[in-house]
Amino acid sequence: MGLDVGVVGVGMIGQEHVRRLDGGPGGSRVVAVADADADRAAAVAARLPAAKALPSGEELIASDAVDAVVVTSWGPTHEPYVLAAVAAGKPVFCEKPLAPTQESCLRIVEAEVAAGRRLVQVGFNRRYDPAHRALKQAVDDGAIGAPLLVHCAHRNASVPPHYTRDMSIADTAIHEIDELRWLLGTEIAAVRVMTPRRSSRGGELQDPLLVLFEMADGVLADVEVSVNVHYGYEIRCEVSGETGTVELATPAPVTIRREGTVAGLVPGDWRERFALSYDVELREWVDGAAGGRPPQGPSAWDGHVAQVVSDAALRSLHTGSRVAVELPERPALYR
Ligand code: ISE
């Protein structure tokens, strides 16, 4: 059985997802798109065999032609669209972050709990990257004994002009917030953000940042967030355990040896580095939604917890102090 999908927000990531969802291997097609920029919605729909451009996200979600919804609009607009999809009883895949405040994320969690079933999946794509999955498998299999420390780096070649200081946490490090909870199977108990010497390439940004996470079981994780490295896009993660270490290998497909050097290509941006993860993520989401099964991926609860930790990290960035993370009780729907 196929899945007819409506996509709200067809900017860069929206168009990436449209490309994967229309005529994708799971039998999905895109039947409707909507965007704050009506001309852009019309242009995207015109390139697709079965899609209409609808005047608003609300109309798209209410349309009988739409079985399931993808929300890839600007972050502050996510909440009403996700709530409307839950109210309509339609599966909804929402790009990260789920919503820009922990209060708005909590309203989504409460709506889903009231509906009594899981419909929301959040786009934390690291969980679908084959290298990240192999890293978790090694940790879960006990290949390195009990994990003690984690070292991560999240480096962007550059960021767009609208990128602000807080986005280094709320838009970028939020991936590691979800990744660490998923990889280690435990919650983040406290966070501290440190501000090293500033890169002259970052303009007004505080770039880089060093974020220290204390996990509930005592594991410590450090994350370098650098968003103007220029040499390419690089994601690192090494877990140091009692009996060994495991780390993500370089994603370069080949190694070149010549003239006394060894070199491997570095991806240019997140689209290139994580292309396969988006394929797997959307394929698994389509399969589940088409089969009427609740989503197995990151839940609204995961989106909410990530936002609570992100808010704590922002407080630490603004005050310079360690901030403890206070989580509400996890509702039974997400256990
Ligand atoms: C972007 O939104 C992403 O999700 C990328 O993975 C991240 O590296 C980048 O910093 C974000 O702006």
Side-chain angles (χ1 to χ4, degrees):
M1 199 189 94
L3 187 76
D4 285 350
V5 181
V7 180
V8 183
V10 284
M12 187 185 349
I13 185 82
Q15 290 185 36
E16 283 278 312
H17 289 352
V18 163
R19 185 171 56 73
R20 290 185 167 88
L21 288 164
D22 196 62
S28 56
R29 55 181 194 158
V30 174
V31 294
V33 298
D35 196 283
D37 177 346
D39 291 341
R40 182 158 68 183
V44 171
R47 295 200 292 267
L48 300 170
K52 280 193 179 139
L54 296 181
S56 71
E58 285 79 3
E59 282 174 64
L60 179 148
I61 293 162
S63 164
D64 287 339
V66 170
D67 300 329
V69 179
V70 168
V71 177
T72 39
S73 53
W74 188 48
T77 65
H78 287 180
E79 181 190 353
Y81 296 136
V82 175
L83 288 176
V86 171
K90 295 186 181 181
V92 51
F93 176 93
C94 179
E95 255 313 325
K96 51 63 60 173
L98 175 59
T101 66
Q102 53 182 287
E103 290 76 19
S104 47
C105 291
L106 191 56
R107 284 193 287 273
I108 292 172
V109 165
E110 286 167 353
E112 212 182 24
V113 168
R117 63 184 174 127
R118 282 195 49 194
L119 289 163
V120 180
Q121 178 165 323
V122 183
F124 285 126
N125 67 314
R126 276 49 174 176
R127 298 189 189 203
Y128 298 89
D129 174 50
H132 281 78
R133 284 186 162 180
L135 184 77
K136 179 167 170 57
Q137 190 70 51
V139 173
D140 289 352
D141 289 349
I144 59 160
L148 306 172
L149 291 163
V150 187
H151 311 290
C152 301
H154 189 150
R155 301 190 181 128
N156 288 192
S158 62
V159 284
H162 68 263
Y163 192 94
T164 60
R165 182 179 70 148
D166 286 3
M167 286 173 76
S168 294
I169 301 289
D171 194 57
T172 298
I174 198 155
H175 278 295
E176 278 71 21
I177 291 173
D178 181 68
E179 178 184 329
L180 289 166
R181 298 180 60 239
W182 165 77
L183 178 66
L184 300 169
T186 185
E187 294 296 353
I188 294 170
V191 54
R192 176 165 194 166
V193 181
M194 303 179 80
T195 51
R197 178 180 175 185
R198 273 159 71 149
S199 161
S200 60
R201 288 165 152 175
E204 293 302 302
L205 294 176
Q206 176 58 57
D207 181 45
L209 296 177
L210 185 67
V211 189
L212 292 175
F213 293 104
E214 296 171 33
M215 307 305 292
D217 60 0
V219 172
L220 288 182
D222 58 85
V223 180
E224 171 197 326
V225 183
S226 294
V227 296
N228 284 285
V229 297
H230 285 227
Y231 69 81
Y233 183 88
E234 189 170 37
I235 298 294
R236 290 192 185 190
C237 183
E238 178 188 30
V239 185
S240 180
E242 277 179 357
T243 59
T245 69
V246 56
E247 67 186 283
L248 298 174
T250 158
V254 292
T255 302
I256 302 166
R257 289 184 169 75
R258 63 180 202 131
E259 295 176 359
T261 62
V262 180
L265 294 179
V266 180
D269 63 16
W270 48 269
R271 284 174 297 185
E272 188 181 340
R273 167 63 182 85
F274 285 112
L276 199 50
S277 77
Y278 293 120
D279 292 347
V280 177
E281 179 181 46
L282 291 174
R283 174 67 198 267
E284 291 188 8
W285 178 73
V286 164
D287 286 350
R293 293 184 294 280
Q296 299 299 304
S299 64
W301 177 253
D302 294 317
H304 173 57
V305 173
Q307 207 56 46
V308 172
V309 178
S310 168
D311 286 355
L314 285 173
R315 220 170 320 133
S316 177
L317 172 63
H318 300 156
T319 62
S321 31
R322 170 186 179 276
V323 177
V325 173
E326 310 281 346
L327 291 180
E329 201 186 329
R330 183 191 288 252
L333 185 64
Y334 306 105
R335 283 187 203 133

